[in-house]
Amino acid sequence: MSNYLTYRRARVAKAWNLTNEIVLCHGGDLIPVPGGADQVFRFVPDTEYRYLADHDEPGCLVAFDPKTGWVEFRPPVLEAERVWEGRPPFDWSDAIRPMTEFDAWLTDRASRPIANLGSRMPLIAAAPELTASVRERLMQARRPKDDVELARMRAAVAATVAGFRRASEYIEPGVTERQIQIELECEFFRHGGDRPGYNTIVGTGTNAAVLHFTPGKRVVGESDLVLIDAGAEIEGYTADVTRTYFASGKPNGFRGDLYNAVLSAQKTAVEKCKPGKEFRELHLETARDMSASLVELDILTGDVDNLVERDAHALFFPHGLGHLVGLGVRDASGYLPGRKRSTRFGLAALRIDLPLDVGYIVTVEPGLYFIPALLTDETRREQYRDAINWSRVDGLLDIGGVRIEDNLLITPDGHENLTAAIPK
Ligand code: GLY
Ligand code: MN
Ligand code: MN
């Protein structure tokens, strides 16, 4: 086993500080595509497992006993898998044992409390409170990136930079969303990407207001905004970047104003990222910043603090400011223990509530959108009757939206913007 994995596991074991309890973490199994297709869905291991095992083979289990240490159990590679898929056989060692030995390992530890992490094993009688606290401590341990993770992340970013460069050159009126996606993803692969780290979003015109839009046949128009949210993945690590472009290459009218409002708020938010900064506060500060711009643009009316307290901003900024990213597009995001997800319209979508710390990689991704599903809703129109210039909004429902997203590594002095090489 590699030195860094030994070191990583030792760091996790220290954070767990267990004496008698044992930990199991299963990575999940292959799922067949129904209908006799002789296909399986692409296997994506649980990120808790992948962090502790550092590979993406299906059907495996990492087990930890504070008295005897770590062991991994793997199903033997079948002859058919070697024939059809070319999977190499495993080299068994003390640290990697056949899954057939797992029952005996567990029987030897009968009556010890079990934390059941990863893709939970259904037949294991686990201790729910122990599982929750072991999971929480693993999340905390995962957040600061180690050198190997950071190197993979930088490689993923480099491929992502190449993809955005190509896409930005390619965009012009007349091309389709799909063609933009193809150019972008081709370049990811050419620069070492294993795959896109999540479904690529290319939203043009009104589609730019659909937060997770799937690119299709739509043809880019002269005055369109083109929103691309994508990242290359390498060895499990993915970038998560958004840029919004003007189809014609030049800012036009209100779309340009909207772009500048988001860009200025994004730059301000990025500058504030440093150890100790509470992300929830940053989210609200950015909401106030963008609300002030919307007041200037005669979209919102009233006092900015009051507008944000009433969540009026969330009609145009209905998602959180960001999340942790790295090992998967959400990495070890979440809330610190004791912090509950708010039910407030303007806060409920926040994916992290924690102070930033050295080694974390966080996205900063404010956006402003004209989303008909929110802005034509009668209840919301009534609730925000006095806060929004509705006649002006009604004339802008086809404009789409703008999002700008970077990935920041938090450093002792502040941050390093890993995705700064992608122009905005
Ligand atoms: N790509 C989804 C997100 O930005 O969170
Ligand atoms: Mn994104
Ligand atoms: Mn994101």
Side-chain angles (χ1 to χ4, degrees), residues 170-176 219-224 246-249:
Y170 180 79
I171 291 169
E172 63 179 5
V175 303
T176 68
V219 175
V220 173
E222 190 68 38
S223 61
D224 280 359
F246 300 96
S248 64

Side-chain angles (χ1 to χ4, degrees), residues 198 201 229-230 240-242 323 329-330 365 403 405:
Y198 52 92
I201 299 163
D229 182 343
D240 176 11
V241 175
T242 308
H323 50 86
V329 69
R330 301 285 179 251
E365 49 177 308
R403 174 163 71 254
E405 173 174 29

Side-chain angles (χ1 to χ4, degrees), residues 265-346:
Q266 203 258 1
K267 286 182 170 174
T268 303
V270 163
E271 281 316 309
K272 291 178 181 170
C273 287
K274 60 177 186 186
K277 182 68 187 175
E278 284 286 352
F279 202 77
R280 184 181 186 276
E281 292 310 312
L282 188 61
H283 171 84
L284 287 170
E285 287 161 16
T286 309
R288 283 193 282 274
D289 199 350
M290 290 199 292
S291 296
S293 295
L294 290 177
V295 169
E296 266 175 46
L297 294 172
D298 197 22
I299 302 291
L300 291 176
T301 54
D303 171 69
V304 166
D305 289 343
N306 183 254
L307 287 166
V308 172
E309 271 158 37
R310 292 174 62 192
D311 295 323
H313 65 281
L315 284 167
F316 305 92
F317 173 39
H319 58 77
L321 182 65
H323 50 86
L324 302 182
V325 66
L327 183 53
V329 69
R330 301 285 179 251
D331 199 271
S333 294
Y335 284 37
L336 280 198
R339 299 188 183 187
K340 293 258 171 316
R341 205 177 261 263
S342 168
T343 53
R344 263 179 68 177
F345 178 42

Side-chain angles (χ1 to χ4, degrees), residues 78-89:
L78 305 175
E79 184 187 70
E81 289 169 329
R82 297 178 64 186
V83 171
W84 290 85
E85 291 147 38
R87 288 180 66 189

Side-chain angles (χ1 to χ4, degrees), residues 145-378:
K145 299 289 143 233
D146 61 37
D147 290 348
V148 171
E149 295 186 280
L150 200 50
R152 291 175 184 172
M153 191 65 188
R154 287 188 194 280
V157 166
T160 305
V161 170
F164 272 86
R165 186 186 304 125
R166 172 69 191 140
S168 65
E169 290 163 1
Y170 180 79
I171 291 169
E172 63 179 5
V175 303
T176 68
E177 292 167 344
R178 176 73 78 215
Q179 287 171 325
I180 296 169
Q181 176 194 11
I182 291 168
E183 295 298 319
L184 175 95
E185 292 184 1
C186 257
E187 210 61 4
F188 286 177
F189 285 116
R190 283 196 189 100
H191 287 79
D194 294 328
R195 60 182 67 84
Y198 52 92
N199 292 335
T200 293
I201 299 163
V202 180
T204 66
T206 51
N207 295 339
V210 181
L211 301 178
H212 283 173
F213 188 76
T214 304
K217 291 183 186 150
R218 187 178 183 284
V219 175
V220 173
E222 190 68 38
S223 61
D224 280 359
L225 290 165
V226 177
L227 185 154
I228 303 179
D229 182 343
E233 178 183 307
I234 292 184
E235 291 189 80
Y237 286 76
T238 186
D240 176 11
V241 175
T242 308
R243 291 292 184 267
T244 307
Y245 301 98
F246 300 96
S248 64
K250 287 191 294 290
N252 50 324
F254 182 78
R255 291 175 178 83
D257 296 337
L258 197 68
Y259 186 91
N260 286 333
V262 175
L263 179 62
S264 142
Q266 203 258 1
K267 286 182 170 174
T268 303
V270 163
E271 281 316 309
K272 291 178 181 170
C273 287
K274 60 177 186 186
K277 182 68 187 175
E278 284 286 352
F279 202 77
R280 184 181 186 276
E281 292 310 312
L282 188 61
H283 171 84
L284 287 170
E285 287 161 16
T286 309
R288 283 193 282 274
D289 199 350
M290 290 199 292
S291 296
S293 295
L294 290 177
V295 169
E296 266 175 46
L297 294 172
D298 197 22
I299 302 291
L300 291 176
T301 54
D303 171 69
V304 166
D305 289 343
N306 183 254
L307 287 166
V308 172
E309 271 158 37
R310 292 174 62 192
D311 295 323
H313 65 281
L315 284 167
F316 305 92
F317 173 39
H319 58 77
L321 182 65
H323 50 86
L324 302 182
V325 66
L327 183 53
V329 69
R330 301 285 179 251
D331 199 271
S333 294
Y335 284 37
L336 280 198
R339 299 188 183 187
K340 293 258 171 316
R341 205 177 261 263
S342 168
T343 53
R344 263 179 68 177
F345 178 42
L347 276 174
L350 197 58
R351 296 186 195 278
I352 50 173
D353 184 359
L354 42 73
L356 298 178
D357 207 348
V358 176
Y360 289 20
I361 303 179
V362 66
T363 73
V364 175
E365 49 177 308
L368 289 173
Y369 318 83
F370 285 75
I371 303 174
L374 292 175
L375 297 172
T376 61
D377 179 80
E378 284 309 323

